Every structure is written in structure tokens, then in C-alpha cells.
Amino acid sequence: MLFRSNGGYHKFPDGTIMQWGIIVTNTSSVSFPTTFPSACVIIIMQKKTATPSDWNPAVTSYSSSGFSWASSNHDGGSNTDTSNGSTGSQFWFAIGY
């Protein structure tokens, strides 16, 4: 088990791995704290900010070592500016094996 201020992971005896973190930098890609040996099966993202916004984070691609993401607007527009100013910090959680 690894805990850091910006995320961590836990490996279960059956091989399942849960990983989590927070995106606080101007980046559109994330590397997992540890690579999934076989596959990542799900990634969930959530805005950290408490104020409502039309912009929501979404995973655009992923692999066993990380993922890319962007923010999209309710009206169908998209925004690849992942800075703290326009979209805020993001929490993420991933499960794999």
C-alpha cells in the first residue's frame, strides 16, 4: 500500500489494484502510481471544486500505465485547457488487475 499527499494505491491478495489521486497541475495526462500488470478496467473522475460549473472531466484514453482526459461542456462543447483556473483540480480513482 502506498499513500502520498497526491494519491496512492492498494494491491489486494487476489491481484485487484485500486489507485487514486488528484490532478492539480496543468496537464492532460496522468501516470498511475503503479502500472496495472494486466489491465485498467475503470477510471472515475470528479471535480474537486465545490462551486457548480458546466465543465466536467472525462477520460479520453487509457492504458495500464495511465490516462488522458479533457473537460467537456454540457452544451456539447469541449475544452482541453486543464489548468486550475478554468476547470479546477480533479480527483480520480482507478481499478484494475
Side-chain angles (χ1 to χ4, degrees), residues 24-37:
V24 295
T25 59
N26 185 14
T27 183
S28 61
S29 63
V30 172
S31 294
F32 294 131
T34 189
T35 298
F36 291 106

Side-chain angles (χ1 to χ4, degrees), residues 1 17-18 20 23 26 31 34 36 46-47 57 61-62 65 76-77 79-80 87 93:
M1 186 178 313
I17 302 172
M18 294 189 319
W20 58 89
I23 302 166
N26 185 14
S31 294
T34 189
F36 291 106
Q46 174 66 43
K47 293 183 297 187
S61 65
Y62 66 95
S65 61
N79 177 17
T80 55
T87 59
F93 180 79

Side-chain angles (χ1 to χ4, degrees), residues 1-11 18 20 33:
M1 186 178 313
L2 171 71
F3 289 100
R4 295 186 205 147
S5 60
N6 62 345
Y9 67 90
H10 181 77
K11 292 182 181 181
M18 294 189 319
W20 58 89

Side-chain angles (χ1 to χ4, degrees), residues 23-97:
I23 302 166
V24 295
T25 59
N26 185 14
T27 183
S28 61
S29 63
V30 172
S31 294
F32 294 131
T34 189
T35 298
F36 291 106
S38 297
C40 174
V41 294
I42 188 169
I43 302 169
I44 301 167
M45 294 188 73
Q46 174 66 43
K47 293 183 297 187
K48 182 183 176 196
T49 57
T51 50
S53 168
D54 286 340
W55 296 98
N56 292 299
V59 174
T60 57
S61 65
Y62 66 95
S63 70
S64 61
S65 61
F67 65 94
S68 295
W69 70 283
S71 291
S72 60
N73 190 305
H74 286 285
D75 68 6
S78 65
N79 177 17
T80 55
D81 177 7
T82 56
S83 65
N84 290 339
S86 63
T87 59
S89 298
Q90 316 293 326
F91 292 115
W92 63 265
F93 180 79
I95 300 174
Y97 59 97

